[in-house]
Amino acid sequence: DTVEIKFTSGLVGTADYRAGKTGLPAVLLLHGFLQTRNAPTMSHLADALSDVGYPTLVPTLSLGVSRRNKSLSCEAVHKHTLQHDVQEISQWTHWLANRGHQKIVMIGHSSGAKDILAYLAGTPNAPVERAVMVGITPIEVDAEQYRKARAEQPAAPGQVLPLRRFTMAYCKHNYAATLPAYLSYADWTGDLILHQLDRIKVPMEIVL
């Protein structure tokens, strides 16, 4: 079934949900960079888990677009941040808990794994009993571009933020984003990922 949720941002998110067998942990599976819940990596895994009875929830991160149903292009307007992703993950987790799923496992792929890591790092009492991080590596950025962006002064409150073109993963100098939106993802360097992994108390597996 396709289910919907209204986020605190006012956007509407969608997910594929299968109720599964009572007593088994519910599995939340999160897609990678700019993709949707239909991306094969997580959707095929959800099919396999559902076939053996696990309840599954495969959401699409809104990335600033209500009911988003296709991958976002590099040239699209990217004002969404990693913090927005984390808020949406939190609401989906509460959605599962409110439907009686007291045991939740999270599986994230690529940038989805970093989103789950950020959620768990910032939510020490999250109702999650295990996490699986698939392909959790720093997102590729242009080192000099990132250094200059990090050195800039923060924008004044209320200042209109222009769109710029950055390098982000496979988006080569065409990732159209505001500076804070870009930095929210680019700041997750290898050192920060390792630091946050060391803080997490939830048992986890890392697949590279």
Side-chain angles (χ1 to χ4, degrees):
D1 294 333
T2 299
V3 296
E4 293 189 348
I5 188 172
K6 187 169 184 178
F7 298 123
T8 52
S9 64
L11 296 170
V12 176
T14 55
D16 289 337
Y17 172 66
R18 296 161 180 155
K21 295 179 181 177
T22 302
L24 288 177
V27 186
L28 186 153
L29 302 102
L30 196 62
H31 59 79
F33 183 63
L34 303 184
Q35 296 178 354
T36 71
R37 65 186 184 278
N38 297 316
T41 306
M42 292 292 99
S43 63
H44 290 176
L45 182 54
D47 289 341
L49 290 167
S50 179
D51 286 346
V52 293
Y54 284 94
T56 60
L57 180 74
V58 193
T60 294
L61 293 172
S62 75
L63 305 184
V65 180
S66 282
R67 298 184 177 92
R68 188 171 67 88
N69 59 10
K70 59 183 179 180
S71 297
L72 213 56
S73 70
C74 298
E75 295 83 3
V77 175
H78 298 278
K79 294 184 179 180
H80 55 89
T81 66
L82 185 138
Q83 291 75 27
H84 293 145
D85 298 347
V86 168
Q87 290 168 4
E88 293 183 9
I89 293 169
S90 177
Q91 287 193 247
W92 281 119
T93 304
H94 286 298
W95 187 93
L96 280 171
N98 290 337
R99 276 150 187 80
H101 298 292
Q102 299 305 313
K103 296 180 179 180
I104 298 173
V105 173
M106 290 185 164
I107 303 177
H109 174 235
S110 184
S111 63
K114 285 194 290 292
D115 286 337
I116 287 175
L117 176 60
Y119 165 71
L120 293 174
T123 316
N125 296 318
V128 177
E129 65 172 21
R130 183 168 294 276
V132 181
M133 312 291 189
V134 182
I136 183 168
T137 58
I139 199 160
E140 182 183 347
V141 298
D142 181 287
E144 180 64 13
Q145 186 181 56
Y146 172 70
R147 185 190 65 78
K148 291 180 178 178
R150 191 44 34 237
E152 288 191 32
Q153 293 295 322
Q159 180 179 342
V160 176
L161 300 175
L163 291 175
R164 306 186 192 181
R165 298 192 178 276
F166 298 97
T167 289
M168 180 83 76
Y170 55 76
C171 299
K172 305 301 182 184
H173 305 290
N174 62 346
Y175 184 83
T178 62
L179 182 61
Y182 162 76
L183 288 174
S184 74
Y185 297 101
D187 279 344
W188 279 74
T189 62
D191 286 343
L192 180 57
I193 289 171
L194 288 172
H195 174 70
Q196 298 292 28
L197 285 171
D198 194 48
R199 292 179 55 211
I200 302 301
K201 303 304 180 186
V202 173
M204 71 181 108
E205 284 79 39
I206 298 174
V207 182
L208 293 176

